[in-house]
Amino acid sequence: MQGPLQRRSGSQRPGLLAILVLGALVSASCFAAIPAGELHPLALLASLLPLQLAALLWGLIHRRD
């Protein structure tokens, strides 16, 4: 029996995994759109931003109190 304050396991939250996978796919597609000869550091950082935001959201939901 679960109490109101007990955390749910990861298998009961499939949406969180979907957020991480979606963030990784968006980041990979943005990185792939950068021309090979014109790799700019800011473009690289911008392409990784969706993955970073998805990981931050995942971390905030799974934080330990």
Side-chain angles (χ1 to χ4, degrees):
M1 176 186 261
Q2 284 188 340
L5 298 178
Q6 288 180 335
R7 296 195 183 273
R8 297 168 66 182
S9 67
S11 64
Q12 294 176 345
R13 294 191 213 174
L16 291 178
L17 182 61
I19 289 173
L20 284 174
V21 169
L22 182 64
L25 290 175
V26 170
S27 291
S29 64
C30 289
F31 183 72
I34 299 172
E38 301 173 14
L39 183 61
H40 193 275
L42 291 178
L44 177 62
L45 290 176
S47 70
L48 291 176
L49 190 60
L51 181 59
Q52 292 173 355
L53 291 176
L56 179 64
L57 178 64
W58 182 88
L60 286 174
I61 291 173
H62 281 92
R63 71 174 184 249
R64 297 186 192 269
D65 294 327

